[in-house]
Amino acid sequence: MDYLNHNGFIRPLINPLFGPDNRVFRYGDGLFESIRIKDGKACFLERHLRRLKKGMHLLGYDIPLHYNAEFMQREIDRMTGGKGHHRLRLTVYRQDGGYYAPQSDESVYLMQLHPLEQADFRLHDQGLSLGVYDEIPLPMHPLSNLKSCNSLPYVLAGRFLKKQNFDECLLLNQDGRVAECSIGNVFMIKEQQLITPPLSEGCIEGVIRGLILEIAEQTELEVWQRAISLEELTSATEIGVTNAIRGIRWVERWDARRYQNQYCRRLLAQLNELSLYN
């Protein structure tokens, strides 16, 4: 039987958790983190919690003092026994009550685990096919940087790529430039440069995005955070998609263009080394 950790209470997945006044259900009033668990240990947990607290502060949540890495890892251990490889979804949301204006800013957390077969990130031999979802542009404001439970643009992008038989798709911002992909941030390699859109372009502030920028700065690559047009992607030699569960996935084809994976492979190897030490 699968179990959840609901604000410190371990309970079976089959038991109901929420009523109709739940604010995630009613308004999308919540944040979440997808965290890779390796041998029972949460990878990059401090970075995930830093992003989570930044979002909680922006949304006006009360942030409990015990929301730290030690507490969260103990709660994870209660579910995993300190073993195994898992995908953890950590959701934080506001207490029930109120309409748009909440009755309370007190927060509740929920942990849910799904098993992973592999301990480390792996770069698959076959890369992704890439499309472009341009029906709903992403706005360029601070809320766009949050890992929010209000995720309708990504839901619609997911429907689009399934219908069009793509593996992944780009999302554009309100000015028609590249923002990110449906399941992660995007970067390109061009002329010994690693280029990724800045947060001001409307992308989520990805944990792995930040790590890849730090890693790349220690290599021969020049690192740039700047706007990227669709046309510029055609001149890239590599395109990578980053998230906390897969690490880096490489794009093999977009329309008639074919891409390589040399730097994606090297960056992922260095990311795996970091994940051993959190």
Side-chain angles (χ1 to χ4, degrees), residues 33-232:
E33 296 288 327
S34 297
I35 304 173
R36 191 178 182 98
I37 307 296
K38 177 180 177 180
D39 295 322
K41 187 174 181 181
C43 297
F44 315 123
L45 183 56
E46 292 277 7
R47 293 173 182 260
H48 281 286
L49 292 179
R50 188 158 56 243
R51 178 175 68 173
L52 180 67
K53 290 179 182 180
K54 184 177 179 180
M56 293 175 72
H57 177 75
L58 181 61
L59 296 181
Y61 286 31
D62 293 335
I63 305 176
L65 293 177
H66 63 269
Y67 274 23
N68 55 46
E70 292 75 19
F71 171 78
M72 292 298 179
Q73 184 61 58
R74 284 199 303 270
E75 292 300 292
I76 293 168
D77 290 342
R78 293 177 61 203
M79 301 180 71
T80 66
K83 301 177 182 178
H85 318 309
H86 310 271
R87 173 186 185 139
L88 169 70
R89 180 179 169 117
L90 168 61
T91 305
V92 173
Y93 58 94
R94 219 182 307 253
Q95 281 278 22
D96 293 0
Y99 295 98
Y100 286 126
Q103 289 182 355
S104 169
D105 290 322
E106 184 178 351
S107 61
V108 177
Y109 72 85
L110 174 65
M111 292 182 176
Q112 185 177 5
L113 292 172
H114 298 282
L116 293 174
E117 294 182 1
Q118 300 154 353
D120 293 327
F121 301 118
R122 293 189 182 181
L123 196 73
H124 295 292
D125 292 333
Q126 183 173 349
L128 303 174
S129 60
L130 187 66
V132 178
Y133 177 70
D134 57 5
E135 294 182 24
I136 305 293
L138 297 179
M140 295 185 290
H141 56 57
L143 291 180
S144 296
N145 304 148
L146 302 183
K147 191 79 170 175
S148 166
C149 294
N150 192 335
S151 304
L152 286 177
Y154 306 96
V155 173
L156 296 176
R159 292 185 72 251
F160 164 81
L161 68 87
K162 286 179 66 176
K163 284 186 175 182
Q164 300 297 323
N165 202 29
F166 292 120
D167 298 317
E168 183 53 283
C169 62
L170 294 166
L171 281 79
L172 308 182
N173 63 28
Q174 62 197 42
D175 288 343
R177 296 187 295 267
V178 174
E180 57 189 346
C181 286
S182 72
I183 59 166
N185 296 109
V186 63
F187 67 85
M188 71 176 188
I189 304 293
K190 177 182 178 181
E191 297 174 352
Q192 296 294 105
Q193 297 178 339
L194 185 149
I195 306 167
T196 194
L199 299 182
S200 58
E201 289 291 281
C203 62
I204 290 174
E205 186 177 1
V207 167
I208 301 300
R209 173 189 181 274
L211 282 163
I212 292 301
L213 291 177
E214 293 176 17
I215 292 170
E217 286 176 349
Q218 307 304 315
T219 70
E220 71 274 19
L221 290 170
E222 294 182 42
V223 177
W224 294 91
Q225 296 186 57
R226 64 165 175 79
I228 301 174
S229 67
L230 280 176
E231 291 75 18
E232 189 175 12

